[in-house]
Amino acid sequence: MTPTTGVPEILARTREAIAPAMVAAVDRLDPDTRLQVSYHLGWADAAGRPLSAPTGKGIRPALALLSAAAAWSDPSVGIPGAVAVELIHNFSLIHDDIIDGDTERHHRPTVWSVFGVGSAIIAGDALETLAHQVLLEAPDTPGGATGRGAAASAALAEGTAAMIAGQAMDVAFEKRRNVSVEECMAMCAAKTGALLGCAASIGAVLAGAPTATVGALRDFGAQLGLAFQAVDDLLGIWGDPATTGKPAGNDLRQRKKSMPVVAALAAGGEEADELRELVLGPAPDRVGHLVGAIGEFDGAAGPPTGGDPVPQEPLSTDQVTRATLLVERCGGREWTQVRAKAHLDAALGALQRVRLSALPHRELADLAVFVVERES
């Protein structure tokens, strides 16, 4: 294959290609919402003064443009898809920050912490709607592929629905003491894999590519999404705050049941038991818990919630340090690293199932490796 110019150049090329369309899309929003979105995207400060340091890597829009090119079309065909997936991704980030109570993203205060929760929810909702408007107005592909904007919108809706279901699972896990490795992976496949699968195939949809090509690219993105989440979970514990923009051990501090934690707990043994008590709190008294559940059922409008209570207060710095050591000793770090590599291999394998244009094929592979080797 022809050598690429490198992932930084791919991402820079993508930002340049989609910038006018992104600006045009955001300009359609009402002034208040436009300010909040521009702030979130790094285009402006909280007062609306322009900035020149956009946040985010742009991996999803790069996948969208490359998928159009890999399907033997001009990359520009994928621009509406690139814009749409970037809007959906940022909709999810704005809402995630509210759900998680995060006050900082990319070393800046989050939208809700600056403009308020209500305004941030509206801004996220506006981005989701705007994404579909962009796709439904996409021009037909030269050469006869008509109605592809509607097909792309349907694919994006499916991916977004799966992402939201995954987010719901993630939130539900916070109240459960026991989450299996299989449940954790299913949540990650929905929360992260579905949208990356859409991003990696939406350009091909807009190009009117054959079903087999779209499917291979979607599977590539879905597997890449699992690798991406594995790396994200590793960085959530062992990442350098200077590059991640979040405190060391942040996921453990918030008691998140991420891949390394769930894998470590599943290992069993004394150290896994210590980790469970540290992260999830002492196991409740079974008789007292049952009596409380029955009382809840007798005096409430619905059935008992079930499951054991999990403490909600953050871990202390010393507890985070100990938990980090225990996760590693129980094999959670190594297990997650192996899974990241396995899903990367599966992603690269999916690209081999169909005939793709050589240079974009190589660039998709390079981008996948970059995702797994990143440090932020």
Side-chain angles (χ1 to χ4, degrees):
M1 292 182 182
T2 305
T4 70
T5 54
V7 171
E9 288 78 7
I10 294 170
L11 299 178
R13 188 177 72 213
T14 297
R15 287 192 290 269
E16 182 179 359
I18 72 168
M22 281 288 293
V23 171
V26 173
D27 278 349
R28 298 170 60 166
L29 301 174
D30 67 272
D32 288 340
T33 304
R34 184 166 63 244
L35 169 61
Q36 293 149 30
V37 169
S38 296
Y39 171 83
H40 171 75
L41 293 172
W43 298 353
D45 64 16
R49 292 183 291 264
L51 298 176
S52 57
T55 59
K57 303 175 188 66
I59 290 170
R60 290 162 186 81
L63 289 172
L65 296 189
L66 287 173
S67 75
W72 307 89
S73 187
D74 191 280
S76 63
V77 170
I79 287 178
V83 170
V85 294
E86 187 70 349
L87 294 174
I88 290 290
H89 174 56
N90 282 282
F91 136 68
S92 73
L93 294 182
I94 291 173
H95 283 192
D96 275 354
D97 287 339
I98 298 170
I99 293 168
D100 296 337
D102 287 342
T103 58
E104 187 173 298
R105 178 176 291 278
H106 297 299
H107 308 286
R108 303 173 76 217
T110 50
V111 174
W112 76 264
S113 67
V114 174
F115 299 98
V117 171
S119 294
I121 291 173
I122 292 170
D125 291 345
L127 289 179
E128 183 185 17
T129 301
L130 185 59
H132 290 282
Q133 290 176 319
V134 168
L135 287 176
L136 291 171
E137 296 170 5
D140 290 334
T141 306
T146 60
R148 305 315 303 170
S153 179
L156 183 63
E158 182 178 350
T160 304
M163 178 189 72
I164 292 172
Q167 289 172 322
M169 293 170 66
D170 196 17
V171 170
F173 287 173
E174 294 176 5
K175 300 177 182 179
R176 290 174 48 188
R177 291 183 62 84
N178 297 307
V179 174
S180 69
V181 170
E182 292 76 17
E183 288 175 315
C184 179
M185 297 308 296
M187 180 273 291
C188 293
K191 182 179 179 181
T192 307
L195 189 59
L196 272 177
C198 178
S201 57
I202 198 167
V205 172
L206 289 165
T211 300
T213 300
V214 173
L217 289 167
R218 184 175 57 248
D219 290 348
F220 159 77
Q223 290 292 334
L224 180 59
L226 285 167
F228 183 101
Q229 188 61 56
V231 174
D232 221 41
D233 286 355
L234 290 167
L235 293 173
I237 298 177
W238 292 279
D240 180 359
T243 54
T244 64
K246 294 185 177 182
N250 191 59
D251 283 0
L252 281 172
R253 182 173 287 101
Q254 297 178 0
R255 304 175 186 265
K256 290 190 68 172
K257 298 178 184 69
S258 60
M259 285 190 205
V261 173
V262 172
L265 292 174
E270 291 183 4
E271 290 182 322
D273 291 341
E274 181 186 350
L275 177 65
R276 184 181 304 279
E277 182 163 340
L278 185 59
V279 175
L280 306 180
D285 174 71
R286 299 311 303 167
V287 174
H289 179 58
L290 179 60
V291 170
I294 293 172
E296 179 186 349
F297 180 71
D298 287 343
T305 55
D308 296 327
V310 176
Q312 299 301 304
E313 68 275 8
L315 296 183
S316 68
T317 299
D318 287 345
Q319 288 174 319
V320 169
T321 300
R322 180 61 180 168
T324 300
L325 178 63
L326 290 170
V327 171
E328 185 149 13
R329 284 183 175 177
C330 293
R333 185 176 191 173
E334 181 180 3
W335 184 91
T336 307
Q337 289 169 333
V338 170
R339 290 305 292 257
K341 177 63 166 57
H343 288 298
L344 171 62
D345 290 345
L348 297 177
L351 294 180
Q352 302 295 332
R353 293 189 345 224
V354 292
R355 184 169 175 265
L356 302 172
S357 181
L359 179 57
H361 182 168
R362 171 65 181 274
E363 292 184 329
L364 284 168
D366 287 351
L367 195 57
V369 173
F370 168 81
V371 162
V372 175
E373 294 181 350
R374 77 190 197 280
E375 297 180 355
S376 65

